[in-house]
Amino acid sequence: MTPATHSSLFPQVPDSADAVLDGLDPEQREVATALHGPVCVLAGAGTGKTRAITHRIAYGVRAGILQPSSVLAVTFTNRAAGEMRGRLRQLGAQGVQARTFHSAALRQLQFFWPKAIGGSLPRIVDRKIQLVADAAAACRIRLDRGELRDVTGEIEWSKVTQTVPADYPPAAVKAGRESPRDPAEIAQIYSVYEDLKRDRGVIDFEDVLLLTVAVLQDRHDIADQVRAQYQHFVVDEYQDVSPLQQRLLELWLGGRDSLCVVGDASQTIYSFTGATPDHLLDFRTRHPGATVVKLVRDYRSTPQVVHLANGLLAQARGRAADHRLELVSQRPAGPEPVHTEYTDEPAEAEGAARRIRDLVAAGVPAAEIAVLFRTNSQSEIYEQALADAGVPYQLRGAERFFDRPEVRKAGVALRAAARFGGNDALLDDTVDLPSQVRAVLSGEGWTTEPPAGSGAVRERWESLAALVNLAQDVAAARPAATLADFVAELDERAGAQHAPTVQGVTLASLHSAKGLEWDVVFLVGVAEGMMPITYAKTDEQIEEERRLLYVGVTRARERLHLSWSLSRTPGGRPGRRPSRFLDGLRPGSTGTVGRGAGTGTGGVERGAGAGPVAAPRRTSRTPARCRVCGRTLTDAGEMKLMRCDDCPSDMDEGLYERLREWRADQARLSGQPAFCVFTDRTLMAIAENAPDDDRELARIPGVGMRKLSRYGADVLAICAGRQPGGAVEGD
């Protein structure tokens, strides 16, 4: 199990701002260098969005344009925020705040609560479901376990959409929600739930955002203090923003436009929580001068997987579908997706387990295989099938890794060994970090061979095995790492909820698989009634189910298996049929695929206020080639010059020196390093091309619209043999 855009441990920090841009494709470079004004990045699955935005922040910081402490990057999970912080450290951009919406809001609320309200912040309830149960009991309404969970979800939805209890019934009808109980009853429970919180002096997770919004709205002095601290904002997964989160973002901005948002409407799969892609889709309307960059080069999946993903969206309807991105795979060809029909669910689980066992035997790491399903209730049969086949597995989306009792105990043992290891007989024969960790964890139940079967014993072993494997990774990256270093690594990962990879097949729901990727993915239960799910009735709900399958498909790097069964149990009536979403895509099926590419081409669109001349849109997907010898260029510096470093240059040396002198003067006037005006490579490209007008100058990589409007007249004057201001040189 790996993050969607992973990197090696402890890479070398780039030695300059320009080096931060090395290796980015043209569209990613546009993102990284668009540091002013509103920017909207429409990023398809596997196109390197995290890479683009972290390099954008790092480039701005390393170039001296952005102060690290003034940048706030927000995303939706602790894991994603932790990964972003790690990448920024690797790029030499320490000090940038990367947090979830809730984490950032909680930090501000804790700091300003004494000043705004007085006293200390109320305790946050760990599990609101018990409080909802108490509220229902006070209303004399009996809820079974499923209803209790669903009513809790309705209360959460109401709060993130800023719906008060009295307004819940009409709001639920308007939103097309399937209320688990009579809407009036839910409104009553919701109202009493809020009363109980006040009586007990506690707040819930959603209150953190609501209270932060209230403080920033009511206390202009506090809002001004927050805005003075944070002046540049980056929002990842913007398609998942709720109305409440959008309101908080607007209050943080305070009318400013130094905002970069990143998202993909085709990956909107959390509308049941209040998330909506409307903020992403309306971004250009709210910010007419915005720069819009589309990332469509898919570096994750093979052309065969990408073709199926594009085919799924080609049949989609609705507003999100109108803005879909047609991906273009950058990987070599791979095997075609496999579609398999089974007689019943047990046969489907056993068939998947057999194929997985064969893949592992052929050398595919178990950690690079996933089984994805629509609902968590489908997990058990695959757990049993994998256990019967002798294949290790892990459950994703259950208990958080660092919260598991065996992991906490292991952490205590490792910390003690790091502190007092010299007196521990267990460590007498150890020679390196992995052997030390194995020795310590052997006392906690780890063995060289996994226990037979499934269940709690197997899960505990898998957790300890993950720590052993992490020790091997750390030692490989840092041979001199000590046990104390390893404990520090664990503490940092625990803070970011960045769990180590477990050497087992991942079992996960499609929702919890978002943001992850594997070499091999088994999408199981792809049948009508499960995909789309039975309770998806409206057109909007059906389309979200299609997007959910699209997310599942795009988790696969190389191999993709889709399967369904004709009945639930052996001997049952074979009344099921494959999902309608596969019509026209699976072998032997009929259906209409392809309604054109929509807005799928990659490139850049600049808003009305972006400058006097719009830079040409980079829609070509052909590789950059040397203009001298024709070789394909991959180095970022060579791409800027459009020639190999070894090929002869036709640069005007005199022009280059005049440009360097002018740049030095501009740097002194602005108080910035010279490369912030133009880099050496950009000056070389200008001297080689000697542009005659704005349009020719705008075509040179490194000359963005901001620099064109600021420096264009001077540069063109120098290229024409004039001094800035109109005099001819030598007069």
Side-chain angles (χ1 to χ4, degrees):
M1 177 182 68
T2 53
T5 44
H6 57 288
S7 58
S8 59
L9 289 170
F10 316 113
Q12 185 176 357
V13 175
D15 59 7
S16 68
D18 273 1
V20 171
L21 303 179
D22 288 348
L24 299 182
D25 69 30
E27 291 79 26
Q28 290 171 344
R29 287 175 67 88
E30 287 284 354
V31 175
T33 55
L35 295 173
H36 297 276
V39 178
C40 179
V41 183
L42 301 177
T47 57
K49 68 177 179 65
T50 306
R51 177 180 176 82
I53 59 175
T54 51
H55 281 68
R56 177 184 188 270
I57 295 170
Y59 178 69
V61 168
R62 298 289 299 275
I65 299 170
L66 303 178
Q67 291 299 315
S69 60
S70 72
V71 180
L72 178 59
V74 288
T75 186
F76 282 82
T77 66
N78 286 319
R79 183 195 59 76
E83 182 189 353
M84 192 176 292
R85 287 193 294 271
R87 285 178 180 235
L88 290 170
R89 282 197 304 272
Q90 293 164 6
L91 293 169
Q94 294 89 342
V96 173
Q97 290 293 313
R99 297 181 174 273
T100 64
F101 269 102
H102 282 87
S103 172
L106 178 59
R107 196 170 189 226
Q108 293 173 18
L109 198 59
Q110 288 171 327
F111 184 81
F112 290 111
W113 187 269
K115 179 178 180 180
I117 309 298
S120 58
L121 184 70
R123 179 177 64 86
I124 301 174
V125 293
D126 295 327
R127 296 177 68 250
K128 66 166 66 72
I129 199 165
Q130 182 57 55
L131 209 55
V132 175
D134 293 345
C139 297
R140 300 183 183 279
I141 298 173
R142 293 180 62 86
L143 301 175
D144 62 31
R145 182 178 298 180
E147 288 175 325
L148 183 58
R149 183 184 64 248
D150 292 342
V151 169
T152 301
E154 290 304 293
I155 292 174
E156 292 173 348
W157 173 82
S158 299
K159 299 187 77 165
V160 300
T161 56
Q162 303 176 82
T163 302
V164 298
D167 292 341
Y168 171 77
V173 172
K174 183 178 180 181
R177 295 186 72 81
E178 293 283 340
S179 299
R181 295 288 295 241
D182 181 275
E185 289 183 330
I186 294 178
Q188 184 184 5
I189 296 171
Y190 179 14
S191 179
V192 174
Y193 167 79
E194 293 295 313
D195 292 339
L196 284 177
K197 283 200 289 107
R198 281 190 292 272
D199 293 344
R200 299 178 185 182
V202 297
I203 59 176
D204 63 23
F205 201 54
E206 290 71 37
D207 288 331
V208 171
L209 298 185
L210 285 164
L211 290 169
T212 306
V213 165
V215 168
L216 295 178
Q217 285 180 159
D218 296 342
R219 291 292 299 267
H220 298 296
D221 57 329
I222 292 176
D224 289 342
Q225 193 172 341
V226 171
R227 291 166 192 157
Q229 170 70 52
Y230 296 116
Q231 299 172 21
H232 308 279
F233 296 85
V234 177
V235 184
D236 194 12
E237 303 288 3
Y238 194 55
Q239 77 279 352
D240 292 331
V241 166
S242 70
L244 180 56
Q245 289 165 332
Q246 176 65 22
R247 179 59 184 144
L248 177 59
L249 178 62
E250 291 167 355
L251 288 166
W252 282 339
L253 281 164
R256 298 168 296 176
D257 64 0
S258 187
L259 171 66
C260 174
V261 301
V262 190
D264 179 8
S266 296
Q267 296 188 69
T268 305
I269 59 174
Y270 298 109
S271 66
F272 61 91
T273 67
T276 171
D278 289 346
H279 305 300
L280 175 67
L281 299 178
D282 293 337
F283 191 85
R284 193 67 174 271
T285 302
R286 294 196 313 276
H287 303 281
T291 296
V292 178
V293 185
K294 297 176 183 177
L295 305 183
V296 298
R297 302 173 197 249
D298 187 322
Y299 298 97
R300 177 190 304 162
S301 303
T302 63
Q304 287 73 16
V305 173
V306 167
H307 178 72
L308 180 59
N310 286 337
L312 279 173
L313 292 189
Q315 303 178 68
R317 300 290 185 272
R319 191 172 182 222
D322 291 340
H323 293 79
R324 71 190 184 281
L325 299 167
E326 187 175 20
L327 302 178
V328 182
S329 176
Q330 307 296 298
R331 295 196 57 185
E336 290 290 337
V338 177
H339 299 75
T340 308
E341 183 173 277
Y342 293 93
T343 56
D344 51 62
E345 287 184 3
E348 184 178 3
E350 292 165 8
R354 281 195 304 272
R355 281 181 161 161
I356 291 171
R357 182 188 59 200
D358 293 344
L359 286 168
V360 173
V364 178
E368 290 297 348
I369 304 173
V371 179
L372 306 182
F373 33 74
R374 176 61 180 83
T375 67
N376 287 319
S377 63
Q378 296 169 270
S379 172
E380 185 176 358
I381 192 171
Y382 288 92
E383 293 179 54
Q384 189 59 55
L386 289 171
D388 291 345
V391 176
Y393 66 88
Q394 61 164 329
L395 288 173
R396 172 144 186 102
E399 189 176 25
R400 295 200 300 184
F401 182 83
F402 291 101
D403 291 338
R404 298 174 184 173
E406 65 271 18
V407 174
R408 290 202 299 268
K409 282 187 63 182
V412 171
L414 289 165
R415 191 168 283 104
R419 189 174 300 171
F420 308 113
N423 300 319
D424 193 336
L426 275 174
L427 302 182
D428 286 348
D429 297 325
T430 59
V431 295
D432 55 13
L433 176 61
S435 61
Q436 289 175 334
V437 172
R438 287 194 296 269
V440 173
L441 296 186
S442 64
E444 301 299 319
W446 178 81
T447 57
T448 55
E449 294 296 326
S454 59
V457 174
R458 179 60 172 261
E459 290 175 11
R460 284 195 295 272
W461 184 90
E462 294 285 1
S463 297
L464 298 177
L467 297 176
V468 170
N469 291 325
L470 178 61
Q472 294 169 345
D473 290 342
V474 171
R478 295 168 23 190
T482 65
L483 200 54
D485 294 330
F486 182 68
V487 170
E489 173 77 10
L490 287 181
D491 289 341
E492 184 173 328
R493 284 171 171 262
Q497 285 299 321
H498 181 193
T501 299
V502 173
Q503 291 304 313
V505 173
T506 300
L507 299 178
S509 71
L510 288 165
H511 282 102
S512 64
K514 178 80 163 60
L516 302 174
E517 62 182 51
W518 297 268
D519 285 345
V520 186
V521 169
F522 286 77
L523 288 174
V524 299
V526 190
E528 286 292 306
M530 192 59 74
M531 181 60 67
I533 199 79
T534 305
Y535 55 74
K537 304 292 187 185
T538 67
D539 290 344
E540 292 81 3
Q541 291 168 340
I542 295 294
E543 288 306 319
E544 181 149 340
E545 292 289 298
R546 187 194 307 276
R547 294 194 296 270
L548 190 56
L549 182 58
Y550 171 79
V551 166
V553 167
T554 54
R555 300 310 94 193
R557 296 192 196 108
E558 298 173 4
R559 298 174 183 268
L560 178 64
H561 296 255
L562 301 99
S563 63
W564 58 92
S565 55
L566 298 178
S567 68
R568 181 177 181 184
T569 57
R573 186 174 65 87
R576 290 179 174 175
R577 61 175 296 268
S579 170
R580 71 190 75 172
F581 300 147
L582 299 181
D583 290 349
L585 299 174
R586 61 183 175 85
S589 65
T590 59
T592 302
V593 177
R595 295 190 296 116
T599 57
T601 54
V604 185
E605 298 174 7
R606 304 189 189 278
V613 179
R617 292 180 61 189
R618 297 182 180 182
T619 56
S620 172
R621 297 182 189 124
T622 57
R625 297 188 183 279
C626 174
R627 55 189 167 84
V628 179
C629 70
R631 182 179 69 85
T632 299
L633 302 177
T634 56
D635 177 76
E638 293 181 340
M639 290 169 69
K640 180 172 286 190
L641 295 175
M642 291 307 294
R643 64 171 175 81
C644 306
D645 279 333
D646 297 335
C647 285
S649 169
D650 53 359
M651 181 177 69
D652 183 331
E653 295 286 351
L655 174 57
Y656 179 63
E657 288 305 316
R658 292 194 296 275
L659 287 169
R660 283 175 56 87
E661 292 172 5
W662 166 84
R663 182 182 67 173
D665 291 339
Q666 293 296 320
R668 281 193 296 271
L669 289 173
S670 63
Q672 293 181 326
F675 65 78
C676 291
V677 180
F678 285 118
T679 65
D680 286 347
R681 289 272 187 176
T682 300
L683 289 189
M684 290 175 66
I686 293 172
E688 289 186 357
N689 287 275
D692 291 327
D693 55 32
D694 282 349
R695 191 169 299 279
E696 290 183 9
L697 181 57
R699 290 195 183 100
I700 296 174
V703 182
M705 294 311 303
R706 182 180 64 85
K707 292 187 178 182
L708 181 66
S709 61
R710 184 172 182 178
Y711 302 126
D714 282 4
V715 170
L716 291 172
I718 295 170
C719 290
R722 302 190 305 272
Q723 292 181 351
V728 177
E729 292 185 1
D731 286 1

